[in-house]
Amino acid sequence: MFDGRVLLKQVILLFWPLISTWVQGAEKIDSCQLQVLEMLSSLGSAGGKSAKPSFVSYVTPEEIKSEKEPSRKEKHPDLLPGEVVFCSASTVLKYTQDDLSQRGVFGVLLCTNFRVSFVSDEEPTEEMLFKNKLYGENDIPLSCVDNIYGDKRKLITGGLVKNKYPSKMIIHCKDLRVFQFSLSFSKEEDAKKIFQGIVHHCLEPKSLRCLFAFSYCENTSYPGSYTVENTSKKQTVMFDSVEDWTQDMKRTKGNCRVVSENSNFELSPKMLTAVAHNHLYSVKTEDLSDTLPTVQDILLSYNKFKQFFLIDNTTEFWMSDMKWFSSLDNCGWLDIIRQCLQKAVEVVESLEKENTNVLIMEEGGSDLCCVVSSLVQLMLDPYYRTLLGFQSLVQKEWVAGGHAFLDRSNHLHLKDKVESPVFLLFLECVWQLQQQHGPAFQFSETYLTVLSDSVHVPVFTTFLFNNDGHRDSLLRAESPHTQRSPLNCPTVWDWSVQFDCKAQDLFTNPLYTEKPKQDTSVRKSYRPRHLRQLSLPSSAFKTPPKKGFFKDEADNLKKILGVKRLSRWMLSPSSDSPQTSSSVREFYEAWQTKPLDYHGLLLPCLDGPSIRVWMQRYLRWIHDVQILGGGPVAMLSKVSEILGEVQELQRQLDRHGCTLTSNHKGARPRAKTAAAVIAARSSVRLSSSFPFVTSRNWAFKPAIPTSLLQSLMVTGMPGNLADREDDGGPESLV
Amino acid sequence: MNKQFWYGIISHWSLSYSIHVFCNSVDSTSTSRSDRSTHAAKTPYAMSSDNVSTSTEFSPELRVLRDSNKEEPQLLPKESVQDMAKDVTYICPYIGALRGTLTVTNYRLFFRCMDREPAFVLDLPLGVVSRVEKIGGASSRGEVSYGLVCKDIRNLRFAHKQMEDSLRKSIFEILMKFAFPVSNGLPIFAFEYGQVYPENGWKVYDAQAEYKRQGIPNESWRITKVNDHYEVCDTYPSNLVVPVNIPDEELKRVAAFRAKGRIPVLSWIHPESQATVTRCSQPMVGVNGKRSKDDEKYLQAIMDANAQSHKLFIFDARPSVNAAANKMKGGGYESEDAYQNAELVFLDIHNIHVMRESLRKLKEVVYPNIEESHWLSNLESTHWLEHIKLILAGALRIADKVESGKTSVVVHCSDGWDRTAQLTSLAMLMLDGHYRTIRGFQVLLEKEWLSFGHRFQLRIGHGDKNHTDADRSPVFLQFIDCVWQITRQFPAAFEFNEYFLVTILDHMYSCLFGTFMCNSEQQRVKEELPKKTVSLWAYINSQLEEFTNPLYVNYSNHVLFPVVSMRHLELWVGYYIRWNPRMRPQEPVHQRYKELLAKRAELQKRVEELQRDVTNRSASSTERAGSPTRSITPVQTFV
């Protein structure tokens, strides 16, 4: 089963240095070791070989030229560096409401190497506060296109498009926007061209180098080129160098040694690191394949789930409203979220209560492993609940951890890749934690939503590759310059690429509880000792002697692991889920009785009502469910106001030359949010879709649900209660 | 220091999460705080460090901790112990069997288990008990078991040793007696409880003052005294607002054509457009399609009173099928032939029996434990939230017609005291910011529910053992649930918090206050409730900070249009699932806002002190750094 040549399963070892520190205390430090493992992998074909360039530009150079005629050029959106228009059509009608009302605006529809863009003939509306610099509200990055439908809502698939084109085209986006265009007013030739162009560029297989990032980066000179000088680089730990790993070990007091054998991706091009814990014989294995859904299950469930939000017809929306809960239940998405969180809690329990190291594994080792291991760390380590800490976590567990972003998002539309929203699933889980324990997180819900959107913007290196080796080789190969300087693409963490400072202010949570410490540097001030006191029950745990037990040789470790895995398989083929859940239940209840510490261990409540739908992400574009003047922003704006006042008062006190004893440093970064929200409030109507949709143009009229009449089925009730009179018996008085 | 104390309390609460039952001892000076703390533990706003630190008289936790060795409850004035039994087992669905002492007074059931640290306490007013039943015979261990079904979504189960002396009554027989005083010829405890509060809560609502606030009387509407002695309609209040040009004699003829004499009267008038919300009962049309010229003229007068619109909307809360079925019993609905310019809309809200059944199913789904799989499907199968949605949708349509359409509306169901009350009060809550304040909400309840004769006595069944009574129905609970849903969508628009709503519901059942006694204003006057009982508002208004939403922004002129999609509706966990310790937040979110406000107050104080210093020292330069000491003016928003 485990013969070393054919790799059936890859294993990721979750290294959790914090735990060892918590449970062992400082005196044990010297005896630990770190292994960076080359992965037990001879790597299948997975992203290693780059596909042969199969992309043929749909338009000829002449056509591109013709697009640049002055008359049409003024209709272009502001093109990004390296962006080229492929084709366009004028007098396209973009419906503003649903397809039953035939209202809309006319404009030009374009397809570039980056996006599908609609430029309205009407005067552009005023600037939005929360404007994305890369694409506007009428732009769809090519990789963000999810599905395209033609007349009679017929799904368009690539390759089948011949000479026909539909009069109406509906585009569903991965960020859940829905666009509806009518092509029937355009010139036939143009309409055909734009339709075929969009279908070709959005749905048909292409090669990686056709992704916009390459053309964009060649034409952009990034300041500092993402080297150490860059501020963002300084803050978000990228885990792309030995130093980063060493730093993190120091931070978490893990005493391990970083091995850089794989620095040139020789051992495994896919795997950068797996980090083995020091006393491996007390390891507990968790095979996620046994208990969690597969990536295919995840995709299937999400595909059902997202349909509830891709609304192109108000009537249907309200029709579906009555069956909302059971539909939600049946698609299973919330259940998958719950299962992932539960698994993470189980792992935390082993780490915290039993002091066992946990080995998380699955086939491939880079999907649910990433989800679970990052969730575990999020629950245990408050550093990862800060904005930079979270980014470092994603960098460590996902980017360096080898999650196949490229395959999973399937930007290239290749048939042999398994697309699956695994990263989104992770963000969903984070959102659940954040909902339940708001003040523990420095970043906001908006931040998570934006991050989930950014996956589909093909500009950031973060999400374009399958692993570090893949990235490295491709960026080198694509570099127009010498072999030595690879192409510089921005990472998603450089938020200034997408948003200006004001908009970025909305990424922080104004109610975040800073750690009550004078030290401003979160990372340096981090002392696990403090946490240990508040963390769970901790038994008198004896660290087993381990000196010399563990050698550097990867082979040795492999052997040990192999044995572990085999024995587990034979002993318990599948864990009994009810049992697991009752143990998790007890663990949660025990934790719940302790005073809550936002800088200690956090556990999610997993009971039915506690797992919710991420309203902001999923409902933001649906007009009928916008709460005008309400939603979380109403709370945020009041909080911001109070914070603003608190700060003003603090300033006054400072002016008077006196300082309060308590720590007020925390208030400073929060003020940003305050300013941003207040600025927004003064210009537009805020709604529950804030900041994604501002309700400037909306009529101030409530959405009255239609189809109420057919809704309630009360037949089949005992005694047919519905037909009874309201007042049954004779009136009896007091 | 406060903070430390605070954490002490929190940990006490959370450690003793098993104390999950109280709701009622509200007496501010002599009661244990444990009841309040339990609320607090699951209602986010209730825990206030402010409160704990500042108002010691309202924070009897310390006393609880000190007195925790006592087996008896802290008694309210006029409360007396009726029976006490040791070695009773309480079978807690979350912890398991607990052995302790059970005390029954004329007001409450009190159980304390000393075996646990901290002691486990169950403290519930007998008013919440819906039925007591003996479960099975004596078990092998010689124990008999009793189940208490409660009105507040929980069941309690006790067991105790079979009495050797079979002549003596068991404690549960005593309990039966005092849980159902009405059935046993005893007075309800509210009539005995004599606590004095700083404010007389019965004065909160003054009909004339409220109509004056709305600008009534005016050139189109007058207050009539025709019902002064409840002769025209015994379920209506004495003060009624009717169109100016309809004389009292005609009102009586209209009353003859409306079920139970409940004629259309004004509930609310739009301050600008003069569009009105009027309420009534169904017209007595019958199978033959009877008409009443007086009624038709009357509705025309209502329409004419609003110059802005030449239309009138009649909202019939019922499903059209049910409305039609009512014709068989002499009732029915307005035909559009008879009422020109009127448009009839059915709102499809079901009757009290359907609602009662729905709540019963909901209780099955949420108590004691939530089934792990298919929570959402199970929830959907209760239809509870669908009913909530329909009620909210109806109220929204009414508010929209009045606000956006500037059209007057008439609202009725069959009798006009259940669904009609839900609809008018919710629409008024959306339309008028005054009702979103704590006192305004009290006025709204007093007016639309109490004075207009929602039959609380019958719907709740205070002190009545007949638990199968078909008149019982959670109509008011549904209304409060709807209010909660709106507060969720507009978290800054309400002066009150979740704890306020939970408290109102708890005391609707507790029978401690007179507020929800009787079925109509006439009965309340007859029973001299204001004289003989304490109003719930007296208690609430004596500690407003407990019930205040720290995020409240007074957008008084704003109309709220909630979204009535299921996507935005949620089960009210803080009420329906509050007995489940797992669903209880460790730290209520609003605690943080309160801390923030406290910090602001602290800084304000410091700044003021410093400014005083500065002024004193250099009297010459009196520079005022003023802005933050001003009260904040709500920033303009567009709602």
Side-chain angles (χ1 to χ4, degrees), chain A residues 308 317-318 320-326 328-330 334 338 437 439 511-513 581 585 588-589 591-596 598 605 607-610 612 615 619 624-631 634-635 638-639 641-643 645-646 648-650 652-653 655-656 658-660 663-664 670 681-682 684-685 688 700-705 708-709 711-714 717-718 721-734, chain B residues 11 14-15 17 322 329 348 350-354 356-357 361 369-370 372 374-377 379-380 383 385-387 389-390 393 396-397 400 404 414-415 417-419 455 457-459 470-471 488-492 518-519 523 527 550-553 559 561 563-570 573 577 580-584 586-587 592-593 596-597 599-600 602-604 606-607 610-611 614 625 627-628 632 635-639:
Chain A
F308 305 142
F317 172 80
W318 285 107
S320 67
D321 204 44
M322 277 301 180
K323 288 280 156 231
W324 163 242
F325 288 116
S326 52
L328 198 57
D329 215 7
N330 293 336
L334 293 183
R338 179 178 296 118
H437 306 290
L511 283 172
Y512 175 59
T513 325
S581 83
R585 187 174 271 263
Y588 176 79
E589 280 168 9
W591 171 80
Q592 206 194 12
T593 57
K594 301 278 190 295
L596 182 58
Y598 287 123
C605 179
D607 290 49
S610 302
R612 297 156 188 265
M615 296 291 193
L619 294 184
D624 277 14
V625 291
Q626 307 308 335
I627 307 169
L628 273 177
M635 211 184 287
K638 175 70 182 175
V639 169
E641 197 177 283
I642 302 171
L643 275 169
E645 284 170 55
V646 166
E648 174 55 30
L649 288 163
Q650 188 63 52
Q652 284 188 41
L653 283 178
R655 223 182 297 139
H656 285 96
C658 99
T659 41
L660 279 180
N663 168 40
H664 292 293
R670 294 169 180 176
R681 193 168 53 174
S682 59
V684 288
R685 230 181 255 167
S688 53
F700 184 33
K701 234 185 151 320
I704 306 285
L708 283 174
L709 284 162
S711 56
L712 249 184
M713 308 294 285
V714 278
M717 278 194 174
L721 295 170
D723 301 339
R724 279 170 68 181
E725 255 187 286
D726 259 10
D727 291 283
E731 204 169 276
S732 60
L733 301 179
V734 178
Chain B
S11 66
S14 33
L15 284 171
Y17 62 82
N322 298 48
K329 298 153 202 156
D348 299 309
H350 280 280
N351 67 26
I352 61 165
H353 312 292
V354 174
R356 182 178 59 238
E357 176 63 12
K361 283 188 186 158
N369 286 304
I370 306 157
E372 287 203 352
H374 304 300
W375 151 250
L376 290 170
S377 299
L379 178 62
E380 188 178 275
H383 298 292
L385 285 176
E386 287 171 50
H387 296 309
K389 171 183 163 167
L390 284 165
L396 181 69
R397 294 175 77 165
D400 178 47
S404 320
S414 297
D415 293 312
W417 50 45
D418 293 312
R419 289 168 274 197
R455 309 202 294 169
Q457 175 63 43
L458 276 175
R459 297 287 176 256
D471 270 327
R488 291 259 317 156
Q489 295 192 18
F490 299 93
C518 303
N519 291 318
Q523 286 178 16
E527 297 284 335
L551 296 176
Y552 175 55
V553 181
V559 175
F561 287 137
V563 173
V564 295
S565 161
M566 293 306 257
R567 271 81 164 171
H568 278 303
L569 299 185
E570 236 182 272
V573 170
I577 319 187
N580 186 337
R582 294 171 54 78
M583 295 304 293
R584 212 168 286 159
Q586 287 137 302
E587 191 195 54
R592 303 199 49 74
Y593 307 136
L596 213 54
L597 288 172
K599 177 180 255 180
R600 183 178 67 179
E602 177 197 330
L603 289 175
Q604 253 165 10
R606 287 295 297 275
V607 169
L610 283 168
Q611 277 169 349
V614 171
S627 60
I632 337 106
V635 185
Q636 182 61 43
T637 52
F638 296 77
V639 180

Side-chain angles (χ1 to χ4, degrees), chain B residues 14-43:
Chain B
S14 33
L15 284 171
S16 60
Y17 62 82
S18 43
I19 308 178
H20 54 76
V21 179
F22 341 72
C23 27
N24 265 2
S25 46
V26 285
D27 176 79
S28 59
T29 50
S30 67
T31 349
S32 104
R33 160 80 181 242
S34 58
D35 52 349
R36 213 142 52 85
S37 66
T38 330
H39 282 309
K42 80 252 165 202
T43 52

Side-chain angles (χ1 to χ4, degrees), chain B residues 76-96:
Chain B
L76 299 173
K78 306 279 179 66
E79 186 183 359
S80 56
V81 174
Q82 305 296 324
D83 196 5
M84 200 182 223
K86 291 194 189 293
D87 289 335
V88 175
T89 306
Y90 166 57
I91 299 144
C92 173
Y94 307 108
I95 311 172

